[in-house]
Amino acid sequence: MILGMSTFTFVHTALSLIALVTGIIVVIGLLTSKRLRGWTVLFLVTAVATSATGFGFKVDSYGASHAIGALSLVALLVAILAYYAFHLHGAWRWIYAVTAIIAAYFLVFVTIAQAFKKIPALTALAPTLSEPPFAVAQGITLVIFVILGIAAARKFHPGMSG
């Protein structure tokens, strides 16, 4: 047990936090047309690891968390291919930008859900995560990330040395 969590949960949470922070840094890089290679690899690796380890939790049935994890892994696979296999050539530039933004969005989506589950004041507002405060928080987040995705697809034009 580490900080009241199993070792597995602690590792998953640590990976999630690293992916979340590095994802925000990568999004800023996309909007400023910078590759940020070191941050990008750390983001992609930790985001894949957090999505993959999310399937390791014992649950009774397939749920929304599994769907988010699977969708995140698909977005990350496309982002990795666009960046490393296709080297951001042609349409792969904007495909990378959009899928990296989608992967970052899923991390924020889950963070909001966890906040509503773990922070008593938020839990009181949306105990089942189906109440309006949760929907509004997620809706605003979605709108922000759609705007970020469009902006990143338009602005991300890294130079060869970026």
Side-chain angles (χ1 to χ4, degrees):
M1 292 291 251
I2 304 168
L3 301 174
M5 296 181 264
S6 71
T7 302
F8 182 81
T9 300
F10 179 81
V11 169
H12 173 77
T13 302
L15 289 168
S16 298
L17 292 173
I18 295 166
L20 182 64
V21 170
T22 57
I24 291 167
I25 293 167
V26 167
V27 168
I28 292 167
L30 292 170
L31 296 172
T32 58
S33 206
K34 295 179 181 145
R35 286 191 190 198
L36 304 176
R37 293 173 198 251
W39 290 111
T40 298
V41 71
L42 186 58
F43 166 61
L44 294 171
V45 167
T46 56
V48 167
T50 195
S51 292
T53 58
F55 289 97
F57 291 99
K58 184 178 178 179
V59 293
D60 295 331
S61 64
Y62 182 85
S65 61
H66 295 99
I68 295 293
L71 291 170
S72 179
L73 287 170
V74 169
L76 288 161
L77 173 62
V78 174
I80 289 166
L81 289 172
Y83 195 93
Y84 294 103
F86 299 108
H87 308 287
L88 305 175
H89 290 268
W92 291 104
R93 176 199 52 80
W94 70 262
I95 291 169
Y96 164 72
V98 169
T99 55
I101 295 279
I102 290 169
Y105 164 72
F106 285 137
L107 289 164
V108 173
F109 179 93
V110 170
T111 301
I112 292 169
Q114 288 299 313
F116 271 89
K117 285 183 176 182
K118 308 283 188 211
I119 298 172
L122 294 177
T123 303
L125 292 173
T128 67
L129 303 184
S130 61
E131 293 79 11
F134 180 74
V136 168
Q138 293 293 17
I140 290 169
T141 303
L142 178 60
V143 169
I144 290 168
F145 273 86
V146 167
I147 292 167
L148 289 173
I150 293 167
R154 290 182 176 168
K155 292 183 178 192
F156 183 60
H157 294 277
M160 294 307 289
S161 64

